[in-house]
Amino acid sequence: MRLALRPLAVLLFALLGLYGAFAQSAAAPPPAQSQALDGVRASLERIEKALERPDVSDAALQSLRSELEPLGETIAEALDDLTPKLESAKSRLEQFGAKPAESATPEGQAAIAERREQQKAFDDIDAQVKRARLLAVQAEQTAANITNRRRAIFRQALFQRSFSLVSPQLWYLALTELPRDLRAMGMLASDWGSGVAVRLHGSRLASFLAAFAALVLAFGIVRTLAHRVLARPAMMHEPSRLRKAASALWVAAVMATVPIAAALALIEIARFYDLFSVRLEPLVATLFDAVRRTAIALATARALLSPDKPEWRLLNLSTPTSERLFRLAVTIALIVSAMKIMDAVNDLIAARVAASVWMRGLGCVAVAGIMAYTLYGLAPKEEDNDDLGPRITPKRDWYALWRAAAWAAIVAIVGSALVGFVALASFLVDQIVWVTFVGAVAYMLHELTDEAFQAALQPNAAAARAATQSIGLRRDSLRQLAILLRGVSTLVITLVGAMLVLAPWGVESDDMLGNLRAAFFGFRVGEVTISLASVLIALLLFSVGVAATRIVQGWLEQEYLPSTHLDVGLRNSIRTSVGYIGFILALALALAQVGLNFERLAIVAGALSIGVGFGLQSIVNNFVSGLILLWERAIRVGDWVVIGDEQGYVRRINVRSTEIETFDRATMIVPNSNLVTGVVKNWVRSDRVGRIKIPVSVAMAADPGQVRQLLLDCAAHQDTVLEFPAPQVMFTAMVDATLKFELVCFVGDVEKSQKVRSDLNFAIFGRFREAHIDISPPPAAPVVVKIGN
């Protein structure tokens, strides 16, 4: 028997060995991943070594940053591939269980070998995973180092102080060097002209002139066609906002494309004939940028302001104001382009710093002066409200805010130039041009998308009909969808515009939050770094988060929720819950900015648990009770409630308390815990139907049947009394020569019960007097009972 089992055991051990080898080969990290991580490590070491040099330029830092991005992708791919293999190896290793103790029965040789192989495979993959994670951390630290170095270079260049514009030394040096610079410019132009004359002669000159003439002819034809395409006819009625926005974007795109394409074609023709030397290439690029800047400014200003066609104007501005702003935009673009061209020329002729500072400072002050001249006395378009009376809904005066920002920019530009920070003044001028362009394009895109979604999802629109027929959407759903799409498009346009505005400040899309973590005067408390910058940024983030929450709440309350069929109480619950969530997220983002993550917050919460248990118990109780009220909705905004001896309408459910407006027009503040744990009568909890009971006592000589009929007739003549359940008359008692009756009827709205009771009393009194029936005073006051209570 043993001889027969021995070959089976050998075969089993062999199979286990093959399985172990297969598992090891499947679990072990492939050599390609190890080589990739080796390459990443080598690249990181090379980048870190390059960062050790103190004279690294911003362009070199940006190039190093671009080299880091594929390294991060390589590390992420390696981790994505290694992590499931690590989990698989770990699960296979766990199948063996814990290693047996020394006193237990030892494992067989095959099991020991298999355990050893599985442990080795797990260790190899785990080592590669740890190595990849370490390289990921190293790459993040290197990226942060590059960002900090670029920020430092940006600050140094921006806040580098030079000559003041009113400094006599600056004017003396600039005017002294002016003749020399003019001679250098003349020599530069002469050398270029000589080179052109050498390269263009004979057939080459003829072909160049022919190409230039063809370009001019093509430009004239295209420009004529563009003007015909862009012609916006005068209309008897003002066009819709959608047509205005679409036309403005089309005008801006066509008007900017034609001259830019012509300039680019001219440059390519000149390069084909080798008319530019390598030395002149920076000047050529600057000239092309000047043409592009001026063309875009002219096209954008004409599209948005439309000075010659007021009926197509997007902004609510008068024609004189539009004309002045149009001239301002074009003039600033020309001045900035001239400044850039002069800087390029000064670099070519090796002009002194004083001349460059002088020209740049004069250009900045000229821009500020033209802005001040244009804004002085500029007023928004007045609206004629003589026949309509005062405005009922006040609107935010965006013009006043924009005007104040413009004057602040003017003061900052002039002040920087006078103090000596000419680079800062030039940067502010560039930012005015860039921010104005981004804002104008964002505004036109916002108007186009907003009006397009609203028009496309109108009930009579083709897209709306198609959606209704194919998907089965209702009109209310179409309206909600339009509001949602408009909100999403506005959010996307705002975020993209904000990133474009922040781009010149060195803030990139992938490290925007990292740039906000700049630390000045920082100090560490344990593992948390506290600094003035981090605190200010945290407050800014919190304010932005709270403001965004308020905007979302206002959008929900004013636009989206009114388009739904939800009742007022549920709308208030949704709005308040969104406010709580937004506040918590804003607070968490602000605390994360200063370094307080959830683990540290848990420690702080544990330390404050005693204080919460004693001193803050009532506040926490009221807060939780407020959440219960919002989601259980036993009491809703607008309900008529009775609390003790007071009653009134619920106007607002806050974090700690609930505001109730009594019938005396007083506001009663009730803690939320009292509403949850106390007895509250809600007249309109399930429905608004109420019951009215009016006791009537008459003399013993009266006819009960006649009394019953008179009471029913009085109830039947009241429009607000429900026919079902039908009014009833109860003959309740015969006491002391008095017959006692009760008229019981129902009203659809319990809030109108007091008026209905009063009208019934008037009617009963009048009918009984006409019938000569004596009414005895009732023994008790009338009672109103809510159905279901």
Side-chain angles (χ1 to χ4, degrees), residues 684-762:
V684 294
R685 175 65 180 89
S686 57
D687 55 49
R688 306 188 67 85
V689 177
R691 183 176 64 179
I692 298 177
K693 296 172 61 177
I694 299 180
V696 178
S697 299
V698 298
M700 184 68 72
D703 183 6
Q706 184 183 8
V707 172
R708 179 178 181 275
Q709 189 60 41
L710 290 174
L711 292 176
L712 292 177
D713 290 343
C714 292
H717 285 81
Q718 292 294 326
D719 296 335
T720 54
V721 174
L722 298 179
E723 296 181 0
F724 181 82
Q728 296 180 359
V729 175
M730 303 297 179
F731 193 167
T732 59
M734 295 180 292
V735 180
D736 298 332
T738 302
L739 304 181
K740 298 182 181 297
F741 298 87
E742 277 189 356
L743 172 63
V744 180
C745 56
F746 299 86
V747 291
D749 190 352
V750 70
E751 295 183 5
K752 299 179 181 179
S753 58
Q754 296 292 339
K755 182 180 182 302
V756 175
R757 184 187 300 111
S758 176
D759 294 341
L760 285 174
N761 287 330
F762 277 112

Side-chain angles (χ1 to χ4, degrees), residues 390-473:
R391 188 191 302 274
I392 298 176
T393 304
K395 295 182 179 180
R396 185 182 298 274
D397 191 1
W398 293 106
Y399 176 80
L401 182 62
W402 174 83
R403 185 185 178 92
W407 279 110
I410 292 172
V411 173
I413 292 171
V414 176
S416 300
L418 295 180
V419 173
F421 295 101
V422 179
L424 177 60
S426 178
F427 178 77
L428 292 177
V429 171
D430 293 338
Q431 292 313 295
I432 289 175
V433 176
W434 176 244
V435 171
T436 304
F437 167 71
V438 173
V441 175
Y443 178 75
M444 289 187 288
L445 286 175
H446 169 264
E447 291 296 319
L448 177 64
T449 56
D450 194 74
E451 296 295 331
F453 285 132
Q454 186 173 1
L457 295 178
Q458 288 291 331
N460 297 327
R465 290 197 303 268
T468 303
Q469 296 174 1
S470 59
I471 306 177
L473 294 177

Side-chain angles (χ1 to χ4, degrees), residues 182-196:
L182 293 177
R183 287 194 302 269
M185 293 179 189
M187 293 177 59
L188 180 65
S190 177
D191 292 342
W192 177 72
S194 301
V196 170

Side-chain angles (χ1 to χ4, degrees), residues 160-444:
Q160 183 178 5
R161 189 169 183 178
S162 58
F163 295 97
S164 172
L165 190 60
V166 295
S167 173
Q169 183 181 5
L170 173 65
W171 286 79
Y172 174 77
L173 294 175
L175 294 177
T176 303
E177 293 294 328
L178 184 60
R180 179 258 177 194
D181 294 340
L182 293 177
R183 287 194 302 269
M185 293 179 189
M187 293 177 59
L188 180 65
S190 177
D191 292 342
W192 177 72
S194 301
V196 170
V198 171
R199 293 178 178 85
L200 293 180
H201 60 278
S203 59
R204 286 178 60 87
L205 178 61
S207 62
F208 173 77
L209 293 177
F212 182 76
L215 177 62
V216 173
L217 179 61
F219 175 74
I221 295 175
V222 173
R223 187 172 181 273
T224 303
L225 293 177
H227 278 285
R228 291 184 179 180
V229 171
L230 298 177
R232 293 183 283 189
M235 303 180 66
M236 296 297 294
H237 301 285
E238 185 176 356
S240 64
R241 297 286 296 178
L242 178 59
R243 293 192 62 184
K244 287 183 181 180
S247 175
L249 285 171
W250 177 246
V251 167
V254 175
M255 287 191 64
T257 302
V258 173
I260 292 175
L264 185 60
L266 180 61
I267 292 174
E268 292 300 325
I269 292 174
R271 285 175 177 168
F272 178 79
Y273 287 94
D274 197 17
L275 300 184
F276 299 138
S277 61
V278 178
R279 182 187 177 191
L280 292 178
E281 283 295 335
L283 179 59
V284 174
T286 304
L287 289 172
F288 177 72
D289 289 339
V291 174
R292 181 175 58 185
R293 183 184 299 106
T294 305
I296 291 176
L298 177 63
T300 306
R302 183 169 293 279
L304 185 62
L305 299 173
S306 186
D308 54 344
K309 292 182 174 62
E311 66 273 9
W312 289 93
R313 192 174 300 146
L314 269 175
L315 298 177
N316 186 23
L317 299 174
S318 62
T319 299
T321 301
S322 299
E323 293 176 351
R324 295 182 67 177
L325 292 178
F326 176 78
R327 290 193 296 268
L328 173 65
V330 176
T331 305
I332 291 179
L334 291 174
I335 294 176
V336 173
S337 300
M339 291 168 55
K340 302 295 183 183
I341 294 173
M342 291 307 302
D343 286 341
V345 172
N346 289 334
D347 292 338
L348 283 177
I349 65 177
R352 291 190 176 182
V353 177
S356 300
V357 172
W358 180 63
M359 292 182 181
R360 188 179 299 179
L362 287 179
C364 294
V365 173
V367 169
I370 293 173
M371 289 178 60
Y373 173 77
T374 304
L375 293 177
Y376 182 77
L378 199 63
K381 184 177 180 180
E382 296 290 340
E383 297 184 0
D384 188 8
N385 291 329
D386 294 340
D387 298 334
L388 301 179
R391 188 191 302 274
I392 298 176
T393 304
K395 295 182 179 180
R396 185 182 298 274
D397 191 1
W398 293 106
Y399 176 80
L401 182 62
W402 174 83
R403 185 185 178 92
W407 279 110
I410 292 172
V411 173
I413 292 171
V414 176
S416 300
L418 295 180
V419 173
F421 295 101
V422 179
L424 177 60
S426 178
F427 178 77
L428 292 177
V429 171
D430 293 338
Q431 292 313 295
I432 289 175
V433 176
W434 176 244
V435 171
T436 304
F437 167 71
V438 173
V441 175
Y443 178 75
M444 289 187 288

Side-chain angles (χ1 to χ4, degrees), residues 38 154 203 233 296 320 402 469 475 591 599 642 694:
D38 291 338
F154 175 77
S203 59
I296 291 176
W402 174 83
Q469 296 174 1
R475 291 192 174 186
L591 293 177
E599 296 179 358
V642 179
I694 299 180

Side-chain angles (χ1 to χ4, degrees), residues 28-51:
Q33 292 179 353
S34 179
Q35 294 176 2
L37 294 179
D38 291 338
V40 170
R41 182 177 181 82
S43 300
L44 287 176
E45 291 178 354
R46 178 178 54 81
I47 294 174
E48 289 179 350
K49 187 175 181 180
L51 290 175

